[in-house]
Amino acid sequence: MPGVGKSTIGKSLAKHLQYDFIDIDQIIVREMGQPIAEIIQMKGVQTFKDLEETTVLNLGPLHHTIISTGGSLVYSHPAMNWLSKHSTIIYLKDSLNNIQKR
């Protein structure tokens, strides 16, 4: 879910474990040269979902790395299959009320 704390918790966990940290959204922003909201507005949600999927599938082998995925990555079967084969997936759950406060 967008806003649940994937990046915040991921960075904290990576620091605690002394792992690297990768934020898929930040990779997309850097490569596209636009904020996520702009990408979605100009190119559409499906294009953004495709970018999330492609970014994850192109990560290659990683070790001792925490990955913060985009909120809609769970809708990509290829990306979720890749992640399930190459990593441990942690699901973050919070109430809508808390997410809206953030």
Side-chain angles (χ1 to χ4, degrees):
M1 179 82 171
V4 77
K6 296 178 297 296
S7 295
T8 302
I9 293 169
K11 286 177 191 173
S12 179
L13 182 60
K15 183 177 179 180
H16 177 75
L17 296 173
Q18 297 181 340
Y19 280 17
D20 293 325
F21 176 77
I22 293 175
D23 187 318
I24 297 302
D25 284 350
Q26 290 305 311
I27 292 172
I28 292 170
V29 167
R30 186 175 63 243
E31 289 182 0
M32 298 299 292
Q34 297 175 291
I36 299 296
E38 247 181 63
I39 295 168
I40 292 171
Q41 182 181 14
M42 296 178 77
K43 299 184 181 191
V45 173
Q46 188 57 53
T47 296
F48 176 69
K49 287 180 179 180
D50 293 344
L51 287 167
E52 283 181 316
E53 178 181 283
T54 301
T55 302
V56 168
L57 295 176
N58 288 330
L59 286 176
L62 300 170
H63 302 284
H64 304 291
T65 303
I66 303 293
I67 304 167
S68 174
T69 65
S72 58
L73 192 74
V74 296
Y75 300 111
S76 167
H77 293 291
M80 291 305 294
N81 285 335
W82 188 91
L83 287 170
S84 67
K85 288 179 185 173
H86 300 284
S87 65
T88 299
I89 297 173
I90 299 172
Y91 172 72
L92 301 178
K93 183 177 180 178
D94 201 353
S95 71
L96 181 57
N97 188 41
N98 283 338
I99 292 169
Q100 288 174 328
K101 286 178 185 177
R102 286 189 209 106

